[in-house]
Every structure is written in C-alpha cells, then in structure tokens.
Amino acid sequence: MTHCYEYSVALEHAQEQKEQLTTRLADLNRHLRTLDGYPVWVYGCRTDAEARDRCVEIYGSLHYADEMKPEESMKVYGVVGGDQALIELAKDVNQSKDEFAAAMQELRRTINPGTSRNQRGRALRLALEKLRDPRFHYRQAIRKIKFLEDRPEKLRFTWLRTHDLHRITREQAIEKLRKQIGDNALQDSRDYRILASLASGEVLAEVRPTNLDVHLHLHWGTRGIQAMQVNMPVIFPSEKGGEIPCFRPLISPEEMGPKRKRNNRKIEDEPVLSGMNLYRYKSEHRTYV
C-alpha cells in the first residue's frame, strides 16, 4: 500500500512538472516572437524571420518528429539576441527542466529502485510510458537552453568530430572478425593473419567515430576564450537594432578543409586493421590480459 501511494504521488508530481515546463517554454517562445529587430542567426536560415521561427521550434520541441530514430535529437545551431526578460525566462525554463528531471527520477525510483544501468534505463522508460505521451522526447525535454549574461567580444562556431576508444583484446577482435566473415573464410583472411601474428592477450583500441558536434567559442578579451558544445541557439544580451558580436558563422562540413589527422598520444598513427578501425597502442602504453 505504501509503495502504491508513493508511486501515485510521484506520478502526479512528474505530470505537474511536465505541465509547468510546457507552460514556461510557451512563455519564453511567446516573448521571443515579440523581439523583432533583435539580432539572430541560425545555420541554414536565410532570413531573420526564418531563424527566429527555428529558435522557437527547437526551444519548444518536446516530442520526436516522425522521421526521428529513438537515439536522435533535434539540433539547431545559432545565436539569438534578447533583452533581460528573455534571459530571465530562459533561467525559469532551465529551472523547470531540472525540476522535471528530478521528478522523473523519483518516479523511476518508485517503479524500480535498482541501481544498475539496465535497471535505471528500463525504469525510466516505464516512467515515461506512465505520462501517456508516447512521442515525448525526454532527453530533448531536459536539455538546457544556454544563455550568456554578458556580451562577448567575438563568437566563432566550429565543427568537432570526437572518437570513442573501446578496448578490445586480440582474441575478441578475432571472434568479431569470425562473426563478420564466417568460419570458412576466416583462415584465409588477411585480417585474421594480421591479428594472429599479434601477441596473445594484446589489448587493441577500436576507434568508434561519433557524430559531428558543434562548439561555440566565446572570446572575452582579457578574460580569455571559452568553448561550449551547443545543440540549440545560444541567447546573448542585446538591444533592438543591435548586432551580433564580431562573428564567424558555421560553414557546412563539406566546405571545411581536408580532414585533420587523428591525434591520440597513446595509439599508433595507422590502424592495424583499417576495415575494423583497430589500432595498436604504442609500445609504452601496450598492455596484455
């Protein structure tokens, strides 16, 4: 009985926090639409009106679009100038995001108090189902709106591709190769012969590319440079008729120069197996199991 009561209270609280977040987002977007004449730039938009509409869309987006995969989230890159009222509304929205996230974690705990990653993930999925909003995008909902309290001297956008290094033993790599090409082809495979020539138990690095991220670099003069990863337009203080600080916009990935060579001090420059994106660690960092 106590557990049922705790669950009911937690569910009601989560629903209330979701409604409050929706209301505060609507307040922010309503005010943002009144700021005609304030500077705005959004990647891919040709007019200020189009850019402002994209800001409103991404800030208020709490649901999956029809074509989106479960692991995807919307990303819109840009900057938008606003008055102090817009910045205060952004603070209120971010507070609501924190409160909603906390309410959902409490609801999750009443469903399954387990602490393992799988238990937490399954309980959170069940908690989201209880909201009776099947296309609700939790990660997008709790993603903060970034804003600046002060006006930087310069702004610069850059693309950044990061890589995830996954440690894998020689034997695990051989087993992975076997599953890819089959038992019959394994012995005659050049890749197998390369792996078999390595020492037993040698730990290799499987380099897994991630999606391109966008960073916004803020130049503060004597205060230095600050970089932040962004996925929604960043709000900065401005006035009607003002301009964006000295600014280098984001160019398309296709317009960038040649891909820079991967830089990692622990693994070799060239892959031992390019088809599997496998690298050996440099001799001073090489380990065995």
Side-chain angles (χ1 to χ4, degrees):
M1 180 67 71
T2 301
H3 178 267
C4 292
Y5 174 75
E6 288 180 352
Y7 164 75
S8 298
V9 170
L11 177 59
E12 182 178 358
H13 183 54
Q15 290 170 330
E16 289 173 351
Q17 293 302 321
K18 178 173 175 280
E19 291 172 5
Q20 178 177 273
L21 173 58
T22 302
T23 298
R24 287 185 171 176
L25 281 169
D27 290 343
L28 179 137
N29 280 336
R30 191 179 302 111
H31 184 70
L32 179 56
R33 288 193 180 279
T34 70
L35 298 181
D36 290 334
Y38 279 73
V40 59
W41 176 87
V42 168
Y43 177 65
C45 294
R46 296 186 177 184
T47 66
D48 287 0
E50 182 185 0
R52 200 174 305 282
D53 285 344
R54 288 290 283 147
C55 291
V56 169
E57 179 186 13
I58 187 66
Y59 290 153
S61 179
L62 298 178
H63 295 86
Y64 283 96
D66 291 338
E67 68 281 4
M68 287 175 65
K69 298 177 182 179
E71 68 276 10
E72 290 181 334
S73 56
M74 289 180 62
K75 295 181 180 181
V76 174
Y77 309 118
V79 288
V80 56
D83 56 12
Q84 187 59 36
L86 183 66
I87 292 173
E88 294 302 322
L89 286 167
K91 292 178 182 180
D92 290 343
V93 166
N94 287 346
Q95 180 181 345
S96 282
K97 288 174 179 285
D98 284 338
E99 292 170 350
F100 172 64
M104 287 301 297
Q105 291 305 316
E106 179 60 21
L107 177 59
R108 177 199 64 76
R109 187 192 64 78
T110 66
I111 294 173
N112 187 335
T115 57
S116 75
R117 184 175 181 177
N118 287 339
Q119 288 174 319
R120 293 198 309 269
R122 184 173 181 275
L124 182 57
R125 288 192 294 273
L126 290 172
L128 288 169
E129 290 176 8
K130 303 302 181 183
L131 295 181
R132 300 183 184 277
D133 193 351
R135 298 200 65 82
F136 186 75
H137 198 315
Y138 179 69
R139 192 192 326 164
Q140 227 162 255
I142 64 173
R143 196 168 58 181
K144 300 288 187 66
I145 296 176
K146 294 184 178 179
F147 59 87
L148 308 177
E149 298 273 15
D150 301 317
R151 183 183 175 89
E153 293 184 4
K154 297 179 183 179
L155 298 172
R156 178 170 59 92
F157 282 98
T158 59
W159 295 98
L160 179 67
R161 185 183 294 280
T162 56
H163 295 82
D164 177 29
L165 261 61
H166 176 69
R167 292 168 63 87
I168 180 172
T169 65
R170 161 191 176 270
E171 286 71 24
Q172 288 171 330
I174 291 174
E175 177 62 17
K176 188 172 183 178
L177 179 64
R178 184 188 66 77
K179 290 179 179 179
Q180 287 179 358
I181 65 176
D183 291 327
N184 294 335
L186 184 64
Q187 296 298 325
D188 295 328
S189 164
R190 174 182 174 273
D191 288 349
Y192 170 75
R193 291 196 297 271
I194 292 174
L195 289 173
S197 69
L198 303 179
S200 176
E202 180 175 339
V203 176
L204 306 170
E206 182 182 24
V207 179
R208 300 173 179 177
T210 61
N211 293 329
L212 277 172
D213 293 325
V214 170
H215 283 216
L216 176 60
H217 299 261
L218 310 170
H219 294 249
W220 298 103
T222 58
R223 291 162 54 188
I225 300 175
Q226 173 190 1
M228 61 170 67
Q229 184 178 332
V230 294
N231 42 45
M232 293 191 292
V234 177
I235 299 172
F236 68 92
S238 184
E239 297 177 352
K240 187 170 185 176
E243 297 182 350
I244 298 174
C246 184
F247 177 54
R248 193 175 93 180
L250 189 65
I251 61 174
S252 68
E254 293 76 17
E255 295 179 87
M256 295 191 298
K259 184 178 177 182
R260 288 187 297 179
K261 196 169 187 178
R262 177 197 46 79
N263 180 29
N264 187 292
R265 295 180 179 179
K266 291 187 177 182
I267 61 179
E268 294 182 344
D269 292 335
E270 299 299 330
V272 63
L273 286 186
S274 58
M276 296 178 65
N277 245 10
L278 283 180
Y279 290 77
R280 298 185 77 187
Y281 283 89
K282 293 178 181 178
S283 58
E284 63 269 29
H285 298 291
R286 200 166 293 164
T287 58
Y288 303 86
V289 295

